[in-house]
Amino acid sequence: MEITFQLVLIPQPLRRRKTRFNCHKCSVSATLSITLKTTVERFTLSKCVVAMETEGKVIKCKAAVAWEPGKTLSIEEVEVSPPKAHEVRIKIAASGVCHSDWAYLYDDAKMKPRPFPLILGHEGAGTVESVGPGVTKVSKGDHVIPLFLPQCGQCECCLSPKTNFCTKNWEQTQQCVLADGTSRISCKNQQVHQFIGISTFSEYTVVPEDNVTKIHPDAPLDKVCLLGCGVSTGYGAAVNTANVESGSTCAVFGLGAVGLAAVMGCKAAGATRIIAVDINPDKFEIAKTFGATEFVNPKDHNKPIQEVLRELTNGGVDFAIECVGNVGVMRAAVEACSPAGGICVIVGWIEVEDLSLSPLDILLGRTLKGTYFGGWKSVEAVPRLVLDYMSGKLLLDEFVTHRLTLDQINQAFDLMISGKSIRTVIEM
């Protein structure tokens, strides 16, 4: 179906030139070679992604559905209902594949069970297709990043400078439904739950208005999608939660995307020594790209890694950031800190195991902190992080090691678990 739209042009002398425009319905960019001679030209995009007007209608699209725990994802045709009041329907352009997506599907020893069937994915970016009644924060055609951590701006937590947590719809989204207790996605005549209220492994999704933020229209969606979780979390753990100081010594445990982002945050904060800790020696070269100055592999030593680090740093590091999600590594990170004033930040997400510490681990002055989404107040912070990337202050391209289609989503999990990828981006 051809869609015709008008473009208002500034008059210029007669000459051919290439000019980039956006389709007013789907926001897809097109470069057209035109002769500028009038104030208005009329053009047709013959391959607009909007095959028909979708606003207010159920959209049929592809999604990766998890029918039950421990089973591979299945590519299905799903139905995505229109947004209800204070909800936004988004056409997802790209989604990062995060370890948490894998863990909720396969690692029930560490995660509390979520309801199935389920569409995973929470690190995406896309374009607003339509909005429900009462939505004021975004509009149709806006480029956006959906957020698993909302920012309503009204609850007690949002009004406090001490936390970035927001209680709006928290209990509902943790049960993988929206505010009214239901999902907007169905498949084969049954409800499909939306992972933490987001579900970016679907070509379209619906999220609460407070769980989405508008970003710069020129930002590449297949890059800035990583700011929906991993990069923001690791980077913020260093610059916000740990508040790493200039001239300090840091250790980062785990060199996945979150850990590498923490390394990048330590460098941005001015740390002098940044010790990267991982059991995969292939990670060190890329860790240097983000600012690591040293690499320690626990497998190369016959003593606990915390002892190794204390010896390397004459008593302990100033800041330790744990990005693995393992309670043994968490304790090691605490004990790698200087006993008098060292700060440890736990980033790795785990829900059902207990962390054991000795009172002496903290009595002399160590501080243990946790962080969620890197301490960023999500809606207001993510657009700034996008601009930091666009200005060259923040690295994103370097995280992306693989690009796959939605049909290859299970391969993305295999690459991650085998240690062959940092971040795989699923391009819709």
Side-chain angles (χ1 to χ4, degrees), residues 160-358:
S160 170
K162 297 180 179 180
T163 179
N164 67 325
F165 189 64
C166 174
T167 58
K168 186 72 174 286
N169 299 326
W170 174 258
E171 293 185 3
Q172 291 92 332
T173 56
Q174 288 300 300
Q175 292 304 311
C176 303
V177 292
L178 302 188
D180 65 353
T182 66
S183 168
R184 299 294 164 266
I185 306 178
S186 61
C187 182
K188 299 179 180 179
N189 297 317
Q190 62 177 306
Q191 173 176 271
V192 180
H193 292 84
Q194 296 181 231
F195 181 53
I196 48 179
I198 302 297
S199 292
T200 58
F201 292 169
S202 176
E203 292 177 324
Y204 286 84
T205 191
V206 177
V207 302
E209 179 183 19
D210 295 316
N211 289 74
V212 65
T213 190
K214 179 180 177 180
I215 62 172
H216 195 286
D218 293 335
L221 298 178
D222 62 336
K223 306 289 180 56
V224 298
C225 62
L226 303 187
L227 294 171
C229 180
V231 174
S232 297
T233 297
Y235 186 71
V239 300
N240 293 331
T241 310
N243 195 18
V244 169
E245 298 170 353
S246 179
S248 62
T249 297
C250 302
V252 176
F253 293 74
L255 299 177
V258 175
L260 292 172
V263 169
M264 180 170 62
C266 292
K267 179 181 179 181
T272 302
R273 295 181 69 185
I274 304 172
I275 305 170
V277 182
D278 201 287
I279 60 174
N280 184 349
D282 294 337
K283 297 289 185 71
F284 184 43
E285 284 304 314
I286 191 169
K288 289 196 294 186
T289 300
F290 292 96
T293 59
E294 302 162 58
F295 180 79
V296 177
N297 186 340
K299 289 185 175 181
D300 293 339
H301 302 271
N302 57 7
K303 61 180 66 175
I305 187 61
Q306 53 267 50
E307 293 184 20
V308 173
L309 291 172
R310 288 199 300 265
E311 290 175 2
L312 283 174
T313 58
N314 193 30
V317 300
D318 301 307
F319 300 93
I321 304 175
E322 188 277 341
C323 304
V324 178
N326 177 289
V327 292
V329 178
M330 291 176 185
R331 180 164 185 168
V334 174
E335 295 178 347
C337 291
S338 169
I343 295 174
C344 177
V345 176
I346 302 299
V347 185
W349 189 260
I350 188 170
E351 296 180 338
V352 297
E353 295 183 4
D354 293 330
L355 171 61
S356 176
L357 294 174
S358 165

Side-chain angles (χ1 to χ4, degrees), residues 381-420:
V382 168
R384 296 199 305 267
L385 292 173
V386 169
L387 294 178
D388 285 345
Y389 162 69
M390 296 177 72
S391 67
K393 181 180 178 181
L394 197 68
L395 301 180
L396 288 182
D397 301 45
E398 292 78 3
F399 287 93
V400 181
T401 54
H402 297 79
R403 294 182 177 277
L404 299 175
T405 64
L406 185 60
D407 294 333
Q408 299 170 300
I409 185 71
N410 292 300
Q411 182 181 341
F413 281 156
D414 293 340
L415 288 166
M416 177 174 59
I417 296 305
S418 65
K420 296 178 181 178

